[in-house]
Protein backbone atom coordinates (compact mmCIF):
# COMPACT_ATOMS: atom_id res chain seq x y z
CA UNK A 1 0.00 0.00 0.00
CA UNK A 2 1.31 3.43 -0.93
CA UNK A 3 1.69 5.98 1.80
CA UNK A 4 0.79 9.64 1.43
CA UNK A 5 4.47 10.49 1.23
CA UNK A 6 5.12 7.94 -1.54
CA UNK A 7 2.14 9.27 -3.51
CA UNK A 8 3.51 12.79 -3.16
CA UNK A 9 6.93 11.61 -4.32
CA UNK A 10 5.41 9.95 -7.40
CA UNK A 11 3.44 13.11 -8.16
CA UNK A 12 6.56 15.27 -7.93
CA UNK A 13 8.51 12.86 -10.15
CA UNK A 14 5.66 12.86 -12.67
CA UNK A 15 5.50 16.66 -12.70
CA UNK A 16 9.28 16.84 -13.05
CA UNK A 17 9.30 14.40 -15.98
CA UNK A 18 6.39 16.20 -17.67
CA UNK A 19 8.13 19.55 -17.28
CA UNK A 20 11.38 18.09 -18.57
CA UNK A 21 9.66 16.64 -21.65
CA UNK A 22 7.80 19.92 -22.24
CA UNK A 23 11.01 21.91 -21.87
CA UNK A 24 12.82 19.66 -24.34
CA UNK A 25 9.99 19.99 -26.88
CA UNK A 26 9.95 23.73 -26.38
CA UNK A 27 13.72 23.97 -26.75
CA UNK A 28 13.57 21.99 -30.00
CA UNK A 29 10.81 24.24 -31.32
CA UNK A 30 12.81 27.33 -30.35
CA UNK A 31 15.85 26.01 -32.15
CA UNK A 32 13.88 25.23 -35.29
CA UNK A 33 12.24 28.65 -35.16
CA UNK A 34 15.60 30.43 -34.88
CA UNK A 35 16.97 28.36 -37.75
CA UNK A 36 13.95 29.37 -39.82
CA UNK A 37 14.55 33.03 -38.96
CA UNK A 38 18.16 32.86 -40.08
CA UNK A 39 17.24 31.13 -43.34
CA UNK A 40 14.49 33.57 -44.30
CA UNK A 41 16.13 36.85 -43.36
CA UNK A 42 19.04 38.32 -45.26
CA UNK A 43 19.79 40.72 -42.42
CA UNK A 44 20.06 40.06 -38.70
CA UNK A 45 16.90 40.48 -36.60
CA UNK A 46 17.50 41.57 -32.99
CA UNK A 47 16.28 38.71 -30.79
CA UNK A 48 16.32 38.62 -27.00
CA UNK A 49 15.99 35.55 -24.79
CA UNK A 50 15.51 35.52 -20.99
CA UNK A 51 19.28 35.03 -20.79
CA UNK A 52 20.00 38.20 -22.78
CA UNK A 53 21.36 41.16 -20.82
CA UNK A 54 18.76 43.53 -22.29
CA UNK A 55 15.79 41.14 -22.14
CA UNK A 56 14.15 42.66 -19.06
CA UNK A 57 14.66 46.27 -20.11
CA UNK A 58 13.25 45.58 -23.58
CA UNK A 59 10.26 43.70 -22.13
CA UNK A 60 9.48 46.38 -19.56
CA UNK A 61 10.19 49.39 -21.78
CA UNK A 62 6.59 49.98 -22.87
CA UNK A 63 4.65 48.20 -20.15
CA UNK A 64 2.73 51.08 -18.59
CA UNK A 65 0.45 48.85 -16.49
CA UNK A 66 2.64 47.63 -13.66
CA UNK A 67 0.16 44.98 -12.60
CA UNK A 68 1.33 43.07 -15.69
CA UNK A 69 4.98 43.47 -14.81
CA UNK A 70 5.29 41.21 -11.78
CA UNK A 71 7.46 38.16 -11.19
CA UNK A 72 4.40 35.93 -11.74
CA UNK A 73 3.36 37.50 -15.06
CA UNK A 74 3.97 35.03 -17.95
CA UNK A 75 7.00 36.13 -19.96
CA UNK A 76 7.81 35.55 -23.64
CA UNK A 77 10.53 33.06 -24.43
CA UNK A 78 11.75 35.38 -27.19
CA UNK A 79 11.38 39.07 -28.02
CA UNK A 80 11.93 40.13 -31.63
CA UNK A 81 12.48 43.82 -32.38
CA UNK A 82 12.33 44.14 -36.20
CA UNK A 83 14.44 46.81 -37.85
CA UNK A 84 12.73 46.63 -41.23
CA UNK A 85 9.49 45.41 -42.75
CA UNK A 86 10.99 42.16 -44.04
CA UNK A 87 11.85 41.19 -40.45
CA UNK A 88 8.15 41.21 -39.60
CA UNK A 89 7.41 39.07 -42.63
CA UNK A 90 10.04 36.55 -41.54
CA UNK A 91 8.72 36.44 -37.99
CA UNK A 92 5.19 35.71 -39.20
CA UNK A 93 6.29 33.04 -41.69
CA UNK A 94 8.43 31.19 -39.16
CA UNK A 95 5.98 31.53 -36.27
CA UNK A 96 3.19 30.10 -38.37
CA UNK A 97 5.37 27.31 -39.74
CA UNK A 98 6.38 26.14 -36.26
CA UNK A 99 3.07 26.80 -34.50
CA UNK A 100 4.38 29.52 -32.20
CA UNK A 101 2.00 31.97 -30.54
CA UNK A 102 2.92 35.59 -31.29
CA UNK A 103 1.97 38.80 -29.50
CA UNK A 104 2.47 42.13 -31.23
CA UNK A 105 2.88 45.43 -29.44
CA UNK A 106 3.51 48.97 -30.59
CA UNK A 107 3.18 51.08 -27.46
CA UNK A 108 2.25 49.34 -24.23
CA UNK A 109 -1.04 51.05 -23.39
CA UNK A 110 -2.87 47.76 -23.14
CA UNK A 111 -5.55 47.65 -20.45
CA UNK A 112 -5.33 43.87 -20.07
CA UNK A 113 -1.74 43.29 -21.18
CA UNK A 114 -2.88 41.17 -24.14
CA UNK A 115 -0.03 42.38 -26.34
CA UNK A 116 2.66 41.05 -24.02
CA UNK A 117 1.17 38.26 -21.88
CA UNK A 118 -0.36 34.89 -22.74
CA UNK A 119 -1.64 31.71 -21.15
CA UNK A 120 0.58 29.59 -23.44
CA UNK A 121 4.28 29.86 -24.41
CA UNK A 122 4.68 32.84 -26.76
CA UNK A 123 6.99 35.36 -28.38
CA UNK A 124 6.64 39.13 -28.71
CA UNK A 125 7.13 41.03 -31.92
CA UNK A 126 7.85 44.52 -30.62
CA UNK A 127 7.56 47.25 -33.24
CA UNK A 128 9.27 50.07 -31.34
CA UNK A 129 12.10 50.27 -33.90
CA UNK A 130 9.56 50.78 -36.71
CA UNK A 131 8.48 54.34 -36.01
CA UNK A 132 9.42 56.41 -39.06
CA UNK A 133 7.10 59.33 -39.78
CA UNK A 134 6.94 61.16 -43.11
CA UNK A 135 4.77 64.27 -43.23
CA UNK A 136 3.59 65.67 -46.56
CA UNK A 137 2.28 69.17 -45.86
CA UNK A 138 1.28 69.82 -49.49
CA UNK A 139 -0.74 66.64 -49.68
CA UNK A 140 -1.96 67.06 -46.08
CA UNK A 141 -1.06 63.48 -45.28
CA UNK A 142 1.50 61.46 -43.37
CA UNK A 143 2.83 57.91 -43.39
CA UNK A 144 3.52 56.71 -39.85
CA UNK A 145 4.87 53.33 -38.81
CA UNK A 146 2.97 51.44 -36.14
CA UNK A 147 5.76 51.60 -33.55
CA UNK A 148 5.52 55.39 -33.26
CA UNK A 149 3.62 57.04 -30.43
CA UNK A 150 0.93 59.65 -30.85
CA UNK A 151 3.31 62.18 -29.28
CA UNK A 152 5.97 61.43 -31.90
CA UNK A 153 3.39 61.87 -34.64
CA UNK A 154 2.19 65.22 -33.27
CA UNK A 155 5.80 66.36 -32.86
CA UNK A 156 6.71 65.55 -36.46
CA UNK A 157 3.61 67.28 -37.80
CA UNK A 158 4.26 70.39 -35.69
CA UNK A 159 7.85 70.64 -36.90
CA UNK A 160 6.54 71.15 -40.44
CA UNK A 161 3.28 73.02 -39.91
CA UNK A 162 1.38 74.93 -37.23
CA UNK A 163 -1.94 74.56 -39.06
CA UNK A 164 -2.01 70.79 -39.58
CA UNK A 165 -2.74 68.12 -36.98
CA UNK A 166 -4.15 64.62 -36.52
CA UNK A 167 -7.21 63.67 -34.42
CA UNK A 168 -5.81 60.97 -32.15
CA UNK A 169 -5.23 60.30 -28.45
CA UNK A 170 -5.01 62.91 -25.71
CA UNK A 171 -2.35 60.77 -24.06
CA UNK A 172 0.89 61.19 -26.03
CA UNK A 173 2.54 57.87 -25.12
CA UNK A 174 -0.04 55.69 -26.84
CA UNK A 175 1.31 53.46 -29.61
CA UNK A 176 -0.10 54.36 -33.03
CA UNK A 177 -0.54 50.73 -34.12
CA UNK A 178 -2.89 49.70 -31.36
CA UNK A 179 -4.60 53.09 -31.14
CA UNK A 180 -5.79 53.20 -34.74
CA UNK A 181 -6.58 49.47 -34.76
CA UNK A 182 -9.27 50.14 -32.14
CA UNK A 183 -10.61 53.28 -33.78
CA UNK A 184 -8.83 55.78 -31.55
CA UNK A 185 -10.29 59.04 -30.27
CA UNK A 186 -8.95 62.31 -28.92
CA UNK A 187 -9.68 65.97 -28.30
CA UNK A 188 -10.82 66.63 -31.89
CA UNK A 189 -13.25 63.73 -32.26
CA UNK A 190 -16.25 66.08 -32.36
CA UNK A 191 -14.70 67.95 -35.30
CA UNK A 192 -12.95 65.19 -37.23
CA UNK A 193 -14.11 61.82 -35.88
CA UNK A 194 -11.81 59.00 -34.80
CA UNK A 195 -8.24 58.30 -35.87
CA UNK A 196 -9.52 55.32 -37.87
CA UNK A 197 -11.91 57.60 -39.76
CA UNK A 198 -8.89 59.50 -41.08
CA UNK A 199 -6.80 56.61 -42.43
CA UNK A 200 -6.49 56.55 -46.23
CA UNK A 201 -4.08 53.62 -46.74
CA UNK A 202 -2.08 51.06 -44.78
CA UNK A 203 0.59 48.39 -45.16
CA UNK A 204 -0.07 45.07 -43.42
CA UNK A 205 1.70 41.72 -43.15
CA UNK A 206 -0.92 39.02 -43.62
CA UNK A 207 -0.91 35.42 -42.41
CA UNK A 208 1.10 34.35 -45.47
CA UNK A 209 3.83 36.90 -44.78
CA UNK A 210 2.83 39.12 -47.68
CA UNK A 211 2.87 42.91 -47.43
CA UNK A 212 -0.43 44.30 -48.65
CA UNK A 213 -1.64 47.86 -49.17
CA UNK A 214 -5.21 49.11 -49.42
CA UNK A 215 -5.56 48.06 -53.04
CA UNK A 216 -4.10 44.58 -52.64
CA UNK A 217 -5.72 43.79 -49.28
CA UNK A 218 -9.17 44.79 -50.49
CA UNK A 219 -11.77 47.05 -48.91
CA UNK A 220 -13.02 44.35 -46.53
CA UNK A 221 -9.73 44.00 -44.68
CA UNK A 222 -9.02 47.73 -44.94
CA UNK A 223 -12.37 48.33 -43.24
CA UNK A 224 -11.63 45.80 -40.48
CA UNK A 225 -8.23 47.13 -39.40
CA UNK A 226 -9.54 50.67 -38.79
CA UNK A 227 -11.38 49.85 -35.58
CA UNK A 228 -11.72 46.07 -35.35
CA UNK A 229 -9.14 45.82 -32.57
CA UNK A 230 -5.49 44.83 -32.74
CA UNK A 231 -4.21 41.27 -32.96
CA UNK A 232 -6.87 39.66 -35.17
CA UNK A 233 -6.08 40.28 -38.83
CA UNK A 234 -2.34 40.71 -39.32
CA UNK A 235 0.44 43.09 -38.36
CA UNK A 236 -0.08 46.62 -39.64
CA UNK A 237 3.32 48.07 -40.45
CA UNK A 238 2.29 51.63 -41.26
CA UNK A 239 -0.67 53.90 -41.84
CA UNK A 240 -1.27 56.71 -44.31
CA UNK A 241 -3.17 59.42 -42.47
CA UNK A 242 -5.28 62.32 -43.62
CA UNK A 243 -4.04 65.38 -41.73
CA UNK A 244 -6.64 67.91 -40.60
CA UNK A 245 -6.62 71.68 -40.43
CA UNK A 246 -6.30 73.60 -37.16
CA UNK A 247 -6.08 77.38 -36.66
CA UNK A 248 -2.73 78.95 -35.68
CA UNK A 249 -4.29 79.81 -32.31
CA UNK A 250 -6.45 77.50 -30.23
CA UNK A 251 -7.80 78.04 -26.72
CA UNK A 252 -7.85 75.73 -23.71
CA UNK A 253 -9.19 75.91 -20.18
CA UNK A 254 -9.43 73.79 -17.05
CA UNK A 255 -12.00 74.66 -14.38
CA UNK A 256 -12.59 72.54 -11.28
CA UNK A 257 -15.68 72.61 -9.06
CA UNK A 258 -16.43 70.61 -5.92
CA UNK A 259 -19.88 69.54 -4.78
CA UNK A 260 -20.04 72.55 -2.46
CA UNK A 261 -19.29 74.75 -5.46
CA UNK A 262 -22.20 73.42 -7.51
CA UNK A 263 -20.58 70.50 -9.34
CA UNK A 264 -23.82 68.47 -9.42
CA UNK A 265 -25.86 71.05 -11.31
CA UNK A 266 -22.92 71.81 -13.61
CA UNK A 267 -22.45 68.15 -14.55
CA UNK A 268 -26.19 67.83 -15.08
CA UNK A 269 -26.18 70.84 -17.43
CA UNK A 270 -23.03 69.57 -19.18
CA UNK A 271 -24.90 66.40 -20.15
CA UNK A 272 -27.51 68.49 -21.96
CA UNK A 273 -25.17 70.73 -23.92
CA UNK A 274 -21.72 69.08 -24.38
CA UNK A 275 -22.82 66.98 -27.37
CA UNK A 276 -24.62 69.94 -28.96
CA UNK A 277 -21.77 72.46 -28.83
CA UNK A 278 -20.09 73.66 -32.04
CA UNK A 279 -17.84 70.93 -33.44
CA UNK A 280 -14.80 73.10 -32.79
CA UNK A 281 -15.41 72.93 -29.03
CA UNK A 282 -14.86 69.90 -26.84
CA UNK A 283 -15.44 70.05 -23.08
CA UNK A 284 -14.73 66.81 -21.25
CA UNK A 285 -14.73 66.29 -17.54
CA UNK A 286 -13.01 64.15 -14.93
CA UNK A 287 -14.51 63.20 -11.59
CA UNK A 288 -12.26 62.47 -8.62
CA UNK A 289 -12.61 62.17 -4.87
CA UNK A 290 -10.63 64.88 -3.07
CA UNK A 291 -10.31 66.24 0.44
CA UNK A 292 -13.05 68.67 1.40
CA UNK A 293 -12.32 71.87 3.25
CA UNK A 294 -13.72 70.25 6.38
CA UNK A 295 -11.14 68.07 8.08
CA UNK A 296 -11.34 64.33 7.41
CA UNK A 297 -14.19 64.73 4.91
CA UNK A 298 -14.18 63.81 1.24
CA UNK A 299 -15.95 65.34 -1.72
CA UNK A 300 -16.06 64.97 -5.49
CA UNK A 301 -14.37 67.46 -7.78
CA UNK A 302 -15.56 67.79 -11.36
CA UNK A 303 -12.85 69.24 -13.60
CA UNK A 304 -14.04 70.64 -16.94
CA UNK A 305 -11.25 70.68 -19.52
CA UNK A 306 -11.54 72.02 -23.01
CA UNK A 307 -10.00 72.45 -26.42
CA UNK A 308 -11.50 75.10 -28.68
CA UNK A 309 -10.28 75.38 -32.26
CA UNK A 310 -10.40 79.16 -32.21
CA UNK A 311 -9.36 82.19 -30.17
CA UNK A 312 -10.40 83.15 -26.64
CA UNK A 313 -12.74 85.91 -27.81
CA UNK A 314 -14.83 83.47 -29.86
CA UNK A 315 -14.77 80.92 -27.04
CA UNK A 316 -16.09 83.51 -24.58
CA UNK A 317 -19.06 84.18 -26.86
CA UNK A 318 -19.85 80.48 -27.29
CA UNK A 319 -19.58 79.74 -23.57
CA UNK A 320 -21.80 82.70 -22.66
CA UNK A 321 -24.46 81.40 -25.05
CA UNK A 322 -24.26 77.71 -24.14
CA UNK A 323 -22.75 77.17 -20.69
CA UNK A 324 -22.76 80.43 -18.68
CA UNK A 325 -23.29 78.44 -15.47
CA UNK A 326 -19.64 77.33 -15.53
CA UNK A 327 -18.62 80.94 -14.93
CA UNK A 328 -15.65 80.81 -17.28
CA UNK A 329 -13.49 83.90 -16.75
CA UNK A 330 -10.98 85.50 -19.10
CA UNK A 331 -8.11 84.35 -16.88
CA UNK A 332 -9.23 80.72 -17.32
CA UNK A 333 -8.89 80.74 -21.12
CA UNK A 334 -5.37 80.32 -22.47
CA UNK A 335 -4.51 80.90 -26.12
CA UNK A 336 -1.74 78.78 -27.60
CA UNK A 337 -0.71 76.76 -30.63
CA UNK A 338 -2.30 73.37 -31.27
CA UNK A 339 0.90 71.53 -30.33
CA UNK A 340 1.00 73.39 -27.00
CA UNK A 341 -2.58 72.28 -26.40
CA UNK A 342 -1.37 68.71 -26.82
CA UNK A 343 0.97 69.28 -23.89
CA UNK A 344 -1.72 71.01 -21.83
CA UNK A 345 -4.32 68.26 -22.23
CA UNK A 346 -1.76 65.57 -21.39
CA UNK A 347 -0.80 67.43 -18.19
CA UNK A 348 2.65 68.36 -19.52
CA UNK A 349 3.74 71.93 -18.68
CA UNK A 350 3.01 74.06 -21.72
CA UNK A 351 6.33 75.86 -21.39
CA UNK A 352 8.09 72.53 -22.01
CA UNK A 353 9.94 72.04 -25.26
CA UNK A 354 7.86 70.04 -27.73
CA UNK A 355 10.93 67.84 -28.04
CA UNK A 356 9.57 65.97 -25.04
CA UNK A 357 6.97 64.44 -27.37
CA UNK A 358 9.72 62.86 -29.41
CA UNK A 359 11.46 61.28 -26.42
CA UNK A 360 8.88 58.52 -25.79
CA UNK A 361 8.31 59.18 -22.06
CA UNK A 362 6.31 56.37 -20.48
CA UNK A 363 4.22 56.83 -17.35
CA UNK A 364 3.89 53.62 -15.34
CA UNK A 365 1.18 52.87 -12.78
CA UNK A 366 -1.00 50.21 -11.22
CA UNK A 367 -4.54 50.49 -12.54
CA UNK A 368 -7.48 48.84 -14.26
CA UNK A 369 -10.00 50.51 -16.56
CA UNK A 370 -13.52 49.89 -17.83
CA UNK A 371 -15.81 51.80 -20.19
CA UNK A 372 -19.46 52.64 -20.82
CA UNK A 373 -21.63 54.75 -23.12
CA UNK A 374 -24.48 57.00 -22.02
CA UNK A 375 -27.51 57.70 -24.22
CA UNK A 376 -29.83 59.49 -21.77
CA UNK A 377 -28.86 62.22 -19.29
CA UNK A 378 -28.37 61.03 -15.73
CA UNK A 379 -30.73 62.84 -13.34
CA UNK A 380 -29.43 65.01 -10.51
CA UNK A 381 -30.64 62.34 -8.08
CA UNK A 382 -28.69 59.75 -10.03
CA UNK A 383 -25.58 61.93 -10.00
CA UNK A 384 -25.86 62.37 -6.24
CA UNK A 385 -26.00 58.60 -5.81
CA UNK A 386 -22.90 58.29 -8.02
CA UNK A 387 -21.07 60.87 -5.91
CA UNK A 388 -21.95 58.93 -2.76
CA UNK A 389 -20.66 55.75 -4.34
CA UNK A 390 -17.42 57.41 -5.48
CA UNK A 391 -16.77 58.86 -2.02
CA UNK A 392 -17.40 55.51 -0.32
CA UNK A 393 -15.17 53.80 -2.89
CA UNK A 394 -12.42 56.43 -2.65
CA UNK A 395 -10.18 54.91 -5.33
CA UNK A 396 -12.17 55.06 -8.56
CA UNK A 397 -12.09 58.04 -10.93
CA UNK A 398 -14.35 58.68 -13.90
CA UNK A 399 -13.92 60.62 -17.14
CA UNK A 400 -16.82 61.76 -19.34
CA UNK A 401 -15.98 62.33 -23.02
CA UNK A 402 -18.74 64.07 -25.05
CA UNK A 403 -19.81 62.88 -28.47
CA UNK A 404 -22.05 64.63 -31.01
CA UNK A 405 -20.71 66.75 -33.84
CA UNK A 406 -18.90 64.71 -36.47
CA UNK A 407 -19.36 61.55 -34.39
CA UNK A 408 -23.12 61.74 -35.00
CA UNK A 409 -22.70 62.22 -38.74
CA UNK A 410 -20.66 59.10 -39.52
CA UNK A 411 -22.51 55.82 -40.01
CA UNK A 412 -22.05 53.08 -37.39
CA UNK A 413 -20.88 50.75 -40.16
CA UNK A 414 -18.40 53.16 -41.79
CA UNK A 415 -15.64 51.50 -39.76
CA UNK A 416 -15.89 48.73 -37.11
CA UNK A 417 -16.04 51.46 -34.42
CA UNK A 418 -19.84 51.69 -33.95
CA UNK A 419 -20.32 54.20 -31.12
CA UNK A 420 -21.74 57.10 -33.11
CA UNK A 421 -25.12 58.85 -33.23
CA UNK A 422 -27.24 58.56 -30.09
CA UNK A 423 -24.36 58.57 -27.62
CA UNK A 424 -24.19 61.61 -25.37
CA UNK A 425 -20.83 60.67 -23.90
CA UNK A 426 -18.45 57.85 -23.08
CA UNK A 427 -17.39 56.96 -19.53
CA UNK A 428 -13.93 55.74 -18.63
CA UNK A 429 -13.61 54.27 -15.15
CA UNK A 430 -10.15 53.90 -13.65
CA UNK A 431 -9.10 52.43 -10.34
CA UNK A 432 -5.45 53.01 -9.43
CA UNK A 433 -3.21 52.13 -6.53
CA UNK A 434 0.43 52.49 -5.51
CA UNK A 435 3.24 50.05 -4.94
CA UNK A 436 2.51 49.80 -1.21
CA UNK A 437 -1.03 48.70 -2.02
CA UNK A 438 -0.16 45.94 -4.49
CA UNK A 439 -0.94 43.20 -1.97
CA UNK A 440 -4.51 44.48 -1.86
CA UNK A 441 -4.84 45.27 -5.59
CA UNK A 442 -7.74 42.81 -5.89
CA UNK A 443 -9.63 45.02 -3.46
CA UNK A 444 -9.40 48.02 -5.79
CA UNK A 445 -10.23 45.98 -8.88
CA UNK A 446 -13.31 44.59 -7.13
CA UNK A 447 -14.35 48.10 -6.11
CA UNK A 448 -14.14 49.12 -9.75
CA UNK A 449 -16.27 46.15 -10.78
CA UNK A 450 -18.85 47.07 -8.15
CA UNK A 451 -18.92 50.64 -9.46
CA UNK A 452 -19.45 49.30 -12.97
CA UNK A 453 -22.38 47.17 -11.79
CA UNK A 454 -23.80 50.13 -9.89
CA UNK A 455 -23.82 52.20 -13.11
CA UNK A 456 -25.99 49.67 -14.99
CA UNK A 457 -29.24 51.73 -14.85
CA UNK A 458 -27.56 54.82 -16.29
CA UNK A 459 -25.76 53.45 -19.34
CA UNK A 460 -26.42 51.81 -22.71
CA UNK A 461 -28.32 48.52 -22.84
CA UNK A 462 -28.74 45.57 -25.24
CA UNK A 463 -25.83 45.65 -25.69
CA UNK A 464 -24.09 47.49 -22.91
CA UNK A 465 -21.47 49.06 -25.17
CA UNK A 466 -17.73 49.19 -24.50
CA UNK A 467 -14.67 50.67 -26.22
CA UNK A 468 -12.33 48.03 -27.59
CA UNK A 469 -9.17 50.05 -26.89
CA UNK A 470 -10.10 49.85 -23.21
CA UNK A 471 -9.91 46.06 -23.29
CA UNK A 472 -11.88 44.51 -20.46
CA UNK A 473 -11.72 40.78 -19.86
CA UNK A 474 -14.62 41.07 -17.42
CA UNK A 475 -17.20 41.51 -20.18
CA UNK A 476 -17.50 37.93 -21.29
CA UNK A 477 -15.81 34.59 -20.88
CA UNK A 478 -12.06 34.77 -21.36
CA UNK A 479 -10.94 32.44 -24.15
CA UNK A 480 -7.85 30.38 -23.54
CA UNK A 481 -5.22 31.21 -26.11
CA UNK A 482 -7.73 33.06 -28.29
CA UNK A 483 -9.77 29.97 -29.13
CA UNK A 484 -13.23 31.35 -28.36
CA UNK A 485 -16.23 29.99 -30.20
CA UNK A 486 -18.43 32.37 -32.15
CA UNK A 487 -21.05 32.43 -29.38
CA UNK A 488 -18.43 33.07 -26.69
CA UNK A 489 -16.82 35.86 -28.68
CA UNK A 490 -20.15 37.44 -29.52
CA UNK A 491 -20.64 38.32 -25.84
CA UNK A 492 -17.79 40.82 -25.88
CA UNK A 493 -17.87 41.31 -29.64
CA UNK A 494 -21.31 42.91 -29.69
CA UNK A 495 -20.34 45.20 -26.80
CA UNK A 496 -17.27 46.44 -28.67
CA UNK A 497 -18.61 46.38 -32.24
CA UNK A 498 -22.42 46.07 -32.08
CA UNK A 499 -23.77 45.08 -35.52
CA UNK A 500 -20.29 45.17 -37.06
CA UNK A 501 -19.18 42.04 -35.20
CA UNK A 502 -20.51 39.56 -37.79
CA UNK A 503 -18.83 41.46 -40.61
CA UNK A 504 -15.53 41.31 -38.71
CA UNK A 505 -15.97 37.56 -38.26
CA UNK A 506 -16.55 37.20 -42.01
CA UNK A 507 -13.36 39.15 -42.81
CA UNK A 508 -11.36 37.15 -40.26
CA UNK A 509 -12.66 33.83 -41.58
CA UNK A 510 -11.60 34.77 -45.09
CA UNK A 511 -8.15 36.22 -44.50
CA UNK A 512 -7.02 34.13 -41.49
CA UNK A 513 -9.17 30.96 -41.52
CA UNK A 514 -6.80 29.03 -39.20
CA UNK A 515 -6.91 31.77 -36.54
CA UNK A 516 -3.16 32.37 -36.45
CA UNK A 517 -3.48 35.98 -35.28
CA UNK A 518 -5.30 35.74 -31.98
CA UNK A 519 -5.54 36.85 -28.37
CA UNK A 520 -7.95 36.38 -25.48
CA UNK A 521 -10.50 38.73 -27.09
CA UNK A 522 -9.68 38.46 -30.78
CA UNK A 523 -12.19 38.09 -33.60
CA UNK A 524 -12.90 34.36 -34.16
CA UNK A 525 -12.63 32.54 -37.46
CA UNK A 526 -15.69 30.45 -38.27
CA UNK A 527 -13.54 28.05 -40.29
CA UNK A 528 -11.28 27.52 -37.26
CA UNK A 529 -14.20 27.17 -34.84
CA UNK A 530 -15.81 24.50 -37.02
CA UNK A 531 -12.49 22.68 -37.28
CA UNK A 532 -12.12 22.34 -33.49
Amino acid sequence: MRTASSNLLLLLVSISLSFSIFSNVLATTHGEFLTCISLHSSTSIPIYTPQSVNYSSILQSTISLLRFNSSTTPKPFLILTPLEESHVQTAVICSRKHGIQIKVRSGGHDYEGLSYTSDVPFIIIDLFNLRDINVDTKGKSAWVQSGATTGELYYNIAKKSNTLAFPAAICTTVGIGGHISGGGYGSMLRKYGTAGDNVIDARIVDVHGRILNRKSMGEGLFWAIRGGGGGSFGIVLSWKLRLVSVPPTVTVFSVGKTLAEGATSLVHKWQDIAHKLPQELLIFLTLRVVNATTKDEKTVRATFRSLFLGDAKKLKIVMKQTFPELGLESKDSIEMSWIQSVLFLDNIPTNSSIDILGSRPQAKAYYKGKSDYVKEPISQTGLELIWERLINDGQTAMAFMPYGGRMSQISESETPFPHRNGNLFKILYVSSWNEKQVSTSDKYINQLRKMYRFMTPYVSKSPREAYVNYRDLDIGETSKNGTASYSQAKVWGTKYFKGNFDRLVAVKSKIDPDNFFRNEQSIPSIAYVLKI
Side-chain angles (χ1 to χ4, degrees), residues 202 204-207 210 212-214 216-228 232-234 236 239 416 503-504 507-508 510-512:
I204 185 173
V205 175
D206 74 354
V207 70
R210 301 173 301 186
L212 308 175
N213 60 16
R214 179 174 182 172
S216 56
M217 77 174 77
E219 288 303 303
L221 180 54
F222 183 66
W223 173 84
I225 62 176
R226 292 177 294 137
S232 291
F233 305 102
V236 180
W239 310 82
R503 184 176 172 186
L504 288 168
V507 173
K508 170 73 171 183
K510 180 179 179 180
I511 62 101
D512 184 17

Side-chain angles (χ1 to χ4, degrees), residues 366-387:
Y366 294 94
Y367 66 93
K368 178 176 170 62
K370 299 176 79 68
S371 62
D372 258 323
Y373 285 87
V374 177
K375 297 181 182 294
E376 299 289 339
I378 303 170
S379 68
Q380 287 211 30
T381 301
L383 291 174
E384 288 168 356
L385 291 173
I386 293 170
W387 305 157

Side-chain angles (χ1 to χ4, degrees), residues 348-373:
I348 301 170
T350 54
N351 59 359
S352 303
S353 167
I354 66 169
D355 292 348
I356 192 173
L357 298 174
S359 63
R360 299 178 69 87
Q362 186 69 257
K364 298 177 182 290
Y366 294 94
Y367 66 93
K368 178 176 170 62
K370 299 176 79 68
S371 62
D372 258 323
Y373 285 87

Side-chain angles (χ1 to χ4, degrees), residues 390-448:
L390 284 173
I391 291 170
N392 290 335
D393 179 316
Q395 209 73 22
T396 300
M398 301 169 71
F400 291 3
M401 178 62 64
Y403 274 45
R406 182 67 179 138
M407 293 298 288
S408 294
Q409 299 167 357
I410 302 173
S411 166
E412 286 190 359
S413 59
E414 181 69 20
T415 71
F417 182 95
H419 315 292
R420 307 285 188 172
N421 192 32
N423 288 301
L424 302 183
F425 57 96
K426 177 183 62 61
I427 300 177
L428 166 63
Y429 311 86
V430 175
S431 182
S432 59
W433 54 95
N434 59 43
E435 193 171 355
K436 293 180 180 178
Q437 298 168 317
V438 168
S439 60
T440 55
S441 59
D442 286 346
K443 167 188 170 184
Y444 302 111
I445 292 174
N446 287 331
Q447 284 178 342
L448 180 68

Side-chain angles (χ1 to χ4, degrees), residues 479-513:
S479 67
K480 182 175 176 62
N481 191 25
T483 56
S485 66
Y486 169 82
S487 59
Q488 289 173 324
K490 193 167 185 177
V491 175
W492 70 71
T494 53
K495 294 176 186 294
Y496 291 140
F497 308 113
K498 298 179 67 176
N500 294 327
F501 175 69
D502 282 345
R503 184 176 172 186
L504 288 168
V505 172
V507 173
K508 170 73 171 183
S509 302
K510 180 179 179 180
I511 62 101
D512 184 17

